[in-house]
Amino acid sequence: MGRELPPALRDLLEAQAGVVGRRQALAAGVTDAFIRTQVRAGRWRPVRRGVYATFSGPLSRSTQIWAALLYAGDGATLSHETAAEMWGFADQPSTLIHVSVPRHRRVVDQPGLRIHLAGWLERSRHPVRTPPVTRVEETVLDLADVADSMSEVVLWVTRACQRRRSTPARLLQALQARKKARWRVVIRSMLADVTEGAESALEIAYVRQVERAHGLPVGVRQRHRLSGSRSQWTDVDYMPYGVIVELDGRIGHVEDGAFRDHRRDNASTVRGHDTLRYGWVDTVERKCAIASEVASVLRRRGWTGLLRPCGPGCGLAEAA
């Protein structure tokens, strides 16, 4: 069957994971009658309006992505969660395939496909990557624009930096080039935090919501040290006082009960040891309580500062 196709069409199918748009097929030298014959014979099948898979069997992720782009038409570019997937800083494929098209076009959403209208898409699109995809920095900012919470913004920014897909400097440059950007102030501040060494979403949450919000002294982030022959990194080191805070952001540790052992260790630390360990639940839901715990240990080591409430309803009083 492949030998019956014009060479230009065979090249397209190889590049596009086995799918082709009707306009592409006609331009490559086949006719509408040929397309109808292939569909009736079951050799081709429609996967989206005007887009055909030229094989039987399951559709791969690559095939689905190319079909979405071909359906969306001129200027279509992978964006948002799907672009993050292509760049390697989304942990798993999103349920929807996200495609941006130039703002002047009107493309209707389809099942499993979300269309975004975008200005300056020529600038946002990576110049050579295929399939077409927004640049890493534009992808991060697009995701921030649709984020429902600051924690989502923190996650995308830090993940892109941690996985070496971008840097704070490049993200800041992209942010400055955007006329409109949701969470602009938060992102600018966050990028400064990342530059100073807070490398994970959990570390930034600790820095902003626990340490800075309650007036704790500024710890040294990601300090390297040797323990015997082993190389170790500490998340937050309050060096003058001999107090270390370790942060555990593993996905499996999301239930409150997962931190019972940590809290038992922390209670022991409050009585005289020098390492405190926290995870997401503690840092986000018990931020005032852990600020009080950290302060208690720091005072025992010589800190004379005063905690301050993080805002109305701060739980410092209860924690004390």
Side-chain angles (χ1 to χ4, degrees), residues 79-80 99-109 114-121 142:
S79 64
H80 297 78
V99 173
S100 287
V101 299
R103 189 173 296 280
H104 67 272
R105 298 194 55 228
R106 290 295 179 267
V107 181
V108 179
D109 286 344
R114 174 67 51 80
I115 299 294
H116 303 267
L117 301 180
W120 303 101
L121 193 53
D142 285 343

Side-chain angles (χ1 to χ4, degrees), residues 5-32 34-35 44 47-54 62-63 65-76 130-132:
L5 300 177
L9 184 51
R10 290 202 299 270
D11 291 344
L12 273 177
L13 293 174
E14 183 176 353
Q16 296 175 176
V19 292
V20 66
R22 176 181 170 276
R23 288 190 300 168
Q24 287 183 315
L26 297 176
V30 302
T31 63
D32 271 326
F34 177 87
I35 295 173
W44 288 22
V47 290
R48 293 198 179 275
R49 190 175 65 195
V51 181
Y52 304 90
T54 60
S62 294
T63 298
I65 283 172
W66 271 108
L69 285 167
L70 294 174
Y71 162 77
D74 295 339
T130 184

Side-chain angles (χ1 to χ4, degrees), residues 33-98:
F34 177 87
I35 295 173
R36 288 194 295 270
T37 298
Q38 303 311 309
V39 173
R40 281 198 298 268
R43 292 187 285 266
W44 288 22
R45 54 179 164 149
V47 290
R48 293 198 179 275
R49 190 175 65 195
V51 181
Y52 304 90
T54 60
F55 59 89
S56 59
L59 301 178
S60 69
R61 181 67 170 173
S62 294
T63 298
Q64 295 174 39
I65 283 172
W66 271 108
L69 285 167
L70 294 174
Y71 162 77
D74 295 339
T77 303
L78 298 175
S79 64
H80 297 78
E81 283 91 341
T82 309
E85 173 189 345
M86 302 300 289
W87 286 114
F89 64 94
D91 284 343
Q92 59 186 10
S94 62
T95 304
L96 297 173
I97 293 175
H98 293 262

Side-chain angles (χ1 to χ4, degrees), residues 136-310:
V136 174
E137 293 73 29
E138 301 297 334
T139 300
V140 172
L141 296 179
D142 285 343
L143 288 165
D145 279 345
V146 298
D148 293 326
S149 66
M150 189 179 74
S151 63
E152 284 186 60
V153 178
V154 170
L155 182 67
W156 290 119
V157 171
T158 55
R159 195 181 279 175
C161 293
Q162 268 193 307
R163 298 183 186 180
R164 302 185 187 280
R165 299 304 190 268
S166 188
T167 65
R170 293 207 301 265
L171 285 166
L172 185 59
Q173 184 178 25
L175 179 66
Q176 291 169 340
R178 283 207 177 193
K179 292 183 178 179
K180 295 181 179 180
R182 192 162 172 244
W183 304 98
R184 181 184 297 276
V185 174
V186 170
I187 295 171
R188 186 185 293 117
S189 176
M190 189 188 314
L191 291 172
D193 288 337
V194 172
T195 302
E196 291 168 8
E199 293 187 352
S200 75
L202 180 55
E203 287 175 56
I204 285 182
Y206 176 84
V207 169
R208 295 175 66 89
Q209 298 182 36
V210 179
E211 183 183 276
R212 188 179 300 166
H214 293 94
L216 289 167
V218 177
V220 177
R221 323 299 175 215
Q222 291 298 311
R223 178 171 177 261
H224 180 257
R225 63 176 181 168
L226 291 175
S227 177
S229 61
R230 297 180 61 189
S231 180
Q232 295 181 341
W233 294 88
T234 57
D235 291 329
V236 184
D237 193 340
Y238 296 101
M239 293 175 60
Y241 311 104
V243 176
I244 290 170
V245 171
E246 297 288 4
L247 300 163
D248 187 345
R250 285 177 288 175
I251 293 173
H253 289 178
V254 294
E255 297 296 335
D256 189 67
F259 289 101
R260 287 173 185 164
D261 289 344
H262 283 190
R263 290 174 186 165
R264 185 165 55 245
D265 292 343
N266 293 346
S268 176
T269 299
V270 170
R271 291 192 295 269
H273 298 287
D274 62 358
T275 299
L276 292 159
R277 300 180 184 274
Y278 300 108
W280 271 111
V281 172
D282 292 295
T283 305
V284 175
E285 296 185 1
R286 301 180 61 246
K287 58 185 180 181
C288 305
I290 67 175
S292 182
E293 289 177 4
V294 173
S296 176
V297 179
L298 287 170
R299 288 193 184 104
R300 189 165 285 132
R301 304 290 182 175
W303 182 58
T304 58
L306 295 175
L307 285 183
R308 63 170 180 260
C310 62

